[in-house]
Amino acid sequence: MPHSPEDKKRALTRVRRVRGQLDALEQALAEGAACGPVLQQLAAVRGAINGLMATVLESHLREEFLHAKDRDAGREPIDETIAIIRSYLR
């Protein structure tokens, strides 16, 4: 769960974006859209879900690992880990 108000707002925005993409996908399927656009929409939904996962995971990592007294000391390894995870989720 995102802990800061900014992280929570960012996660909720992504959820709303995913919901909109899923609604569009449902409509395309109901209308018998061609496979190409449906596959594009599926890829967009997957990307949005991965973005949501990255946002929540980043918030969790920052919350868990930056509780140290010196918050700046642990920032670089966490930033590197987040970058690796984000590249994996793309």
Side-chain angles (χ1 to χ4, degrees):
M1 171 69 189
H3 298 283
S4 73
E6 298 85 24
D7 288 341
K8 185 175 183 178
K9 182 178 179 180
R10 193 174 322 139
L12 287 171
T13 298
R14 286 187 178 270
V15 166
R16 290 181 186 112
R17 186 177 305 135
V18 169
R19 183 180 299 127
Q21 289 173 325
L22 286 172
D23 289 345
L25 176 61
E26 180 181 15
Q27 183 177 357
L29 291 170
E31 293 173 356
C35 289
V38 169
L39 289 169
Q40 263 185 326
Q41 192 64 35
L42 283 167
V45 169
R46 182 185 63 197
I49 289 291
N50 285 343
L52 176 61
M53 175 74 160
T55 297
V56 173
L57 185 57
E58 178 178 347
S59 176
H60 173 70
L61 288 172
R62 290 190 189 283
E63 183 70 23
E64 291 298 316
F65 295 109
L66 290 180
H67 270 118
K69 287 184 180 182
D70 185 8
R71 289 187 172 263
D72 291 331
R75 184 164 300 280
E76 188 175 332
I78 291 170
D79 288 342
E80 289 174 10
T81 302
I82 289 168
I84 291 167
I85 291 168
R86 281 189 178 274
S87 68
Y88 174 77
L89 290 175
R90 288 184 188 179

